[in-house]
Amino acid sequence: MRFMLLFSRQGKLRLQKWYLATADRDKKKMVRELMQVVLARKPKMCSFLEWRDLKVVYKRYASLYFCCAIEGQDNELITLELIHRYVELLDKYFGSVCELDIIFNFEKAYFILDEFVMGGEIQDTSKKSVLKAIEQADLLQEVRHPQTHLWSPQNTPMETP
Amino acid sequence: MALKMVKGSIDRMFDKNLQDLVRGIRNHKEDEAKYISQCIDEIKQELKQDNIAVKANAVCKLTYLQMLGYDISWAAFNIIEVMSASKFTFKRIGYLAASQCFHEGTDVIMLTTNQIRKDLSSPNQYDTGVALTGLSCFVTPDLARDLANDIMTLMSHTKPYIRKKAVLIMYKVFLKYPESLRPAFPRLKEKLEDPDPGVQSAAVNVICELARRNPKNYLSLAPLFFKLMTSSTNNWVLIKIIKLFGALTPLEPRLGKKLIEPLTNLIHSTSAMSLLYECVNTVILCVQKLRILIEDSDQNLKYLGLLAMSKILKTHPKSVQSHKDLILQCLDDKDESIRLRALDLLYGMVSKKNLMEIVKKLMIHVDKAEGTTYRDELLTKIIDICSQSNYQYITNFEWYISILVELTRLEGTRHGHLIAAQMLDVAIRVKAIRKFAVSQMAMLLDNAHLIASNTQRNGICEVLYAAAWICGEFSEHLEEANQTLEAMLRPKVTTLPGHIQAVYVQNMVKLYASILQQKEQAGEKEAAQEITQLMIEKLPQFVQSADLEVQERASCILQLIKYIQKLQVKEVPVAEEVIALFAGELNPVAPKAQKKVPVPEGLDLDAWINEPPSDSESEDEKPKTIFHDEEQRHSRHRQPEIDEEELARRREARKQEQANNPFYIKSSPSPQKRYQDTPGVEHIPVVQIDLSVPLKVPGMPMSDQYVKLEEERRHKQKLEKDKKKKKQKKEKRGKHHRHNSLHTESEEDIAPAHHVDIITEEMPENALPSDEDDKDPNDPYKALDIDLDKPLADSEKLPVQRHRNVETLKSPDSEALLVEKKSKKPKKKEKKHKEKEREKGKKKEKEKKVVEEEEEKKVICQDLHCLKSKSSKHKKKKHKKEKEEKSKDKKKSKKKSHHSEEETTESVQNGTLDDEPLPPMSSYRLLAENPYIKMTYDIQGNLQNDSQVTVSVIFENKSTSFLKSMELNVLDSLNTKMLRPEGSSVHDGIPVPFQLPPGISNEAQFVFTLQSIVMAQKLKGTLSFIVKNDEGSTHEKLDFKLHFSCASYLITTPCYSDAFAKLLESGDLHMNSIKVDGISISFQHLLAKICFHHHFSVVERVDSCASMYSRSIQGHHVCLLVKKGENSVSVDGKCSDSTLLSNLLDEMKETLSKC
């Protein structure tokens, strides 16, 4: 996987993870371009598209688009599953995750992603072990530095199919 | 300080945290930019504070802003500060920020090297994890080079969490620093069999990614992956493996056969669409496996293989094309059904390059073929193959005509009409070939008696139909028109089927007309009258024909000719008029051409052009299929007996009509410019060729001659081509554009018989994996095309930081291990290499050996080994002299002690270490020696098993004889026992798993179990072996005493100063101390010695005072305070066990007193 983007229907970037170090300018350009392409697609269209020399796999969950860029030889369906698995992880972690969770705890969303995918490859296919790693790391964090404030959003939960 | 902290946290209360920032941004929708710039100012202020919590908060906010598109590169240094925070909370944020915004251009990135190294070796696995994750995003070639070794070490970490991350990040490291691949690969390979599924899947991921890019280097792993594929139930892993096999199969055809079964199982059993898709995808790639079926001696398999291949052919013609050789072979098969299947396949695999060759082969088969069914099948296939896609693959039409002519010699075929249709089609559509075609057809007509010998059941006479028509229609190309006309008028013709005779009659008039014109122009009136006379004499035989069509035509023509004769007698020139009967060029039109012509403006196709009941004479504008259709064709030359006036009127009308007809561009250029993408009449798809071969081929043309000629021509062109190259490129397209060409990309769009370059341009894309040429030089994966089976060379050692010289001495030598069979090969090679070395410098050997041993210690940190019960058989392990061997780590150390040499390095460094070179040290002690053999040994504790140690013994053959059947036996004590294979008694020795040629040394490991470790132990033992030389063999024995020192139960374990302090404060440790006088070596060396020989690590060092720590395999803590006076050293020790401590100190005293 080259990179993963989360953005809202309004075209606001919510999360970006680049597995190939890229200069800021290029990142911005690619994000903008890709968002346009993806947002222009209709709901019934398929989740895959060829973009530049990459394949883009995206999926919409509630108001959020999860979008992965993979290489030509990669398997699209497994990428779709990866996206879904990530959403499941977010959902488990936040409990009925919604976009606001990701906005306000965006670093957590990153941490979860980092435990799940590393360097563009799936790190652990087991949901349990990913969550365990996150929980323990959080525990470590809280022991050393009790969190003062945890945002609890009053938003509708994101659908997870 | 405390005040500052308090102040800092008070300040913090007024700072915005991330949530506040996000909320703020959401509340300032109108003036977002202004609000954010204000925030950035605040953040800049926060970053100036000393409080790390404030800084971390600021960096966290910056990371968010970065996502919104704001530049935060200015804060790179602050990010590094936060990364180096000791608290995980902050560190995590620091690394997150770094992973989001660092890239290769970030200049401060090199500053992170040491911090990352420190974090990698942190005792907290999450510190390590976060560092690995961060690094995976911004690793640069420099970082990769500097940290490769550290990460490689982590691959053997005790925690699966770290192992899997380390394994994954190795892929990134390989990409940035390809040199690391070979040293790291053995360990990576080990991870494929890691007990933790996460680590395993990570290793599969990495290796599959590597292998996909350069599959040939990974063929040796196929069996391992095969095992994984059949045993794994993890879809994610399976997909990767299947993809890998997809890449491997083309390289190793045998694989395909093996894959069929598991793949089919998967396809049937899996519910995951993604997996199914991958399987199916791979199966397509695995055409290779069909090859195996086809190659099989079982005819049934062969048939099925061909059948399946023809299915694939429809979708993946290229993948099948590479098996041409095999399929051609099948043509020779005895079994007709197999031959037929092979024929089917041939259709898809011809190219311009091989068409002639394939058809030649088929022609031979045609000659040999016995049954007419098969022969007919061959014939149709030849025609199919040649004519497919508008003769796309034919480069020389003369050759093709010759082939067709040769085919006419077939007896008893039912497909005469097919050949005839081809002849007509080619002659009409390929203008350039007409002259040649006509000469061939004339010959056919001349030899008609051969063909038409048995007309009743001989379908081949159909070709005469084509021959007659071609000779008539294109009579201007005939050289010996008279002769041909005579041939057509032979009485034998009347035995031909009626429709053929009709064509004969019609076309002999055409011939006649052209001869007439010829003679008249030459002024040979006599000859002209003669020919008329001939016609009048011969035609009546047709008039009597039973066939109505023939009869009618013949009588019409007879009347016409009689009329002409009258005129001739009056010496009126008639030729002009007669020829006008057949004037007008015949233009072939593609079946779809009509559709492609836009309806001109103002043209109403439904409106009548003339008065409603008009006679139909515009037939000749019908699409080209007309030429297969007799009825329509005849209608064209329908009424030959109309008078001149009428003729002229009609001609005028026809011209008029042609002017309006978009297809008649030649006589009157059409206004339809849009369609005229090629000049002149070429807007209609006419296949054109440039004939550079002489049209006349002496004698009866044999297609073989053309093959030869064609080859020569191609060769010549190839030579010319280099010169013309540029020019041709320009001309190429427009001139020889073929309208209907649905060419595949590999078949370049060049005109036949002209620009053909068989070798370079004709290579089909997927012909063979000679992919060297087409690789992109910028492809990052190309650098990873490394032969992994080659043994490592000295130069390939992973770079290690220099200061590690100090620290590695502390790390005890690591040994032990089970050598996996798979890694044996390279080792053996190295062994040879080593042998040579040894011979070179026998004198220096000992010294050198020590140095080498030292060096190898540097790279490795301590590995702990557990011998699983299954591995009770000790496998051999060579004494590793080459240091990279160590770094490569062939060990099968399942787990590695979680300790950090780097950490201790840092602390040593902090303590201002002078960088003096250290004397070489070796942990191997002499066990026993006699003239034949020398044994040295080293003992390693095992962290995984608190009652096991591993003894590594190096056996060195000092003699010139061959040593074999070595067996080591030890007299067990109550406390210490040698681990023997199940079922063997305590008196049995353990065989040493290798033999020793002269001058060779090798290493073997033996595991011992023990109960108490507080006391040193000595075990008596014997090595028995057979010495074999020219004089015969003798049985020898060597007794030894194995000394288990207390230090060998210790495992170098890092300890932080705070933990260390806590431990000392806890008060449950026993204390003891020693003092040794007469110490002359530097304190640094002294510490190094303690670290090295006694397995301690330095916790902290201040001037000439240092605290050290170690742990026993049974969990005893050992703390030391080492102080150096003028000439003396005092060591205060604290330990959870007093006996152990005093024994340890005694051992230490002995070591120190030697200094």
Side-chain angles (χ1 to χ4, degrees), chain A residues 14 16 19 27-28 71 73 75 81 104 110 115 118 122 124-125 136 138 140-141 151, chain B residues 19 23 67 69 92 100 124 126 161 164-165 172 205 212-213 234 236 239-240 243 274 278:
Chain A
R14 293 304 179 208
Q16 54 170 345
Y19 295 109
K27 280 189 195 171
K28 270 187 219 167
E71 279 155 52
Q73 288 181 308
N75 187 319
E81 277 186 41
F104 282 95
Y110 275 122
E115 288 301 332
M118 193 169 119
I122 295 168
D124 209 314
T125 56
Q136 286 184 344
D138 280 348
L140 198 68
Q141 176 165 338
W151 177 261
Chain B
Q19 276 78 23
R23 215 171 294 136
M67 185 174 70
R92 204 182 190 187
Q100 290 302 100
N124 178 349
Y126 294 104
Y161 177 81
K164 87 186 166 203
K165 280 182 190 275
K172 292 275 167 185
N205 266 348
R212 233 166 72 186
R213 264 76 196 211
N234 184 335
W236 311 73
I239 286 179
K240 284 278 175 185
K243 212 179 269 294
S274 47
E278 196 61 53

Side-chain angles (χ1 to χ4, degrees), chain B residues 574-767:
Chain B
V574 283
E576 199 93 345
E577 313 283 341
V578 180
I579 215 90
L581 282 173
F582 309 104
E585 175 121 3
L586 189 66
N587 282 315
V589 177
K592 286 178 187 166
Q594 182 75 57
K595 269 189 227 160
K596 302 208 171 184
V597 183
V599 178
E601 244 175 89
L603 174 65
D604 182 5
L605 288 172
D606 296 329
W608 290 102
I609 299 170
N610 298 316
E611 290 303 300
S614 80
D615 37 10
S616 59
E617 57 187 351
S618 53
E619 291 286 17
D620 46 1
E621 292 124 28
K622 279 257 173 103
K624 68 140 195 177
T625 45
I626 185 172
F627 303 112
H628 300 291
D629 190 328
E630 243 178 287
E631 286 307 303
Q632 287 171 322
R633 205 180 52 78
H634 292 154
S635 64
R636 183 171 160 255
H637 307 286
R638 203 57 196 247
Q639 299 138 330
E641 286 174 305
I642 27 165
D643 63 64
E644 296 288 333
E645 236 187 76
E646 178 64 11
L647 266 177
R649 197 188 63 78
R650 294 243 173 115
R651 230 180 359 252
E652 202 47 49
R654 187 154 71 182
K655 270 185 188 160
Q656 201 65 41
E657 211 175 316
Q658 284 172 359
N660 293 329
N661 186 326
F663 299 119
Y664 271 89
I665 289 154
K666 197 159 196 180
S667 47
S668 53
S670 155
Q672 256 68 75
K673 293 278 186 208
R674 252 193 283 179
Y675 194 62
Q676 276 182 284
D677 51 352
T678 47
V681 83
E682 265 74 24
H683 74 280
I684 298 162
V686 172
V687 188
Q688 269 209 336
I689 59 168
D690 264 315
L691 290 164
S692 50
V693 214
L695 279 167
K696 270 277 184 187
V697 177
M700 183 75 168
M702 288 288 291
S703 54
D704 288 0
Q705 284 176 291
Y706 285 99
V707 178
K708 228 176 262 172
L709 279 172
E710 180 69 15
E711 272 165 16
E712 280 166 28
R713 187 180 64 82
R714 284 179 179 179
H715 181 68
K716 218 192 290 171
Q717 276 183 351
K718 202 194 155 200
L719 294 178
E720 283 169 17
K721 191 163 176 159
D722 298 333
K723 292 180 204 162
K724 285 186 184 173
K725 224 171 193 172
K726 278 181 190 169
K727 219 180 172 185
Q728 277 186 354
K729 266 184 190 165
K730 284 176 198 164
E731 301 173 346
K732 222 181 199 170
R733 308 291 134 160
K735 212 172 170 185
H736 306 282
H737 190 77
R738 252 183 281 147
H739 177 67
N740 213 3
S741 55
L742 295 162
H743 305 172
T744 49
E745 280 175 349
S746 61
E747 293 291 330
E748 71 296 354
D749 192 1
I750 30 167
H754 196 59
H755 300 295
V756 185
D757 184 356
I758 38 171
I759 294 151
T760 53
E761 286 182 42
E762 289 272 346
M763 269 318 258
E765 256 175 4
N766 291 350

Side-chain angles (χ1 to χ4, degrees), chain B residues 524-584:
Chain B
E524 302 170 30
K525 285 176 190 164
E526 298 283 304
Q529 284 179 4
E530 269 171 40
I531 203 89
T532 314
Q533 188 55 39
L534 180 75
M535 289 289 281
I536 290 171
E537 280 168 22
K538 299 281 183 178
L539 271 175
Q541 59 179 331
F542 295 104
V543 178
Q544 294 158 11
S545 171
D547 192 285
L548 281 179
E549 179 80 24
V550 181
Q551 197 183 43
E552 191 186 359
R553 287 183 190 218
S555 34
C556 282
I557 289 165
L558 191 58
Q559 289 313 310
L560 174 74
I561 293 184
K562 281 180 181 164
Y563 179 67
I564 293 171
Q565 196 180 32
K566 276 182 206 161
L567 291 174
Q568 272 182 327
V569 173
K570 289 180 197 161
E571 303 214 355
V572 179
V574 283
E576 199 93 345
E577 313 283 341
V578 180
I579 215 90
L581 282 173
F582 309 104

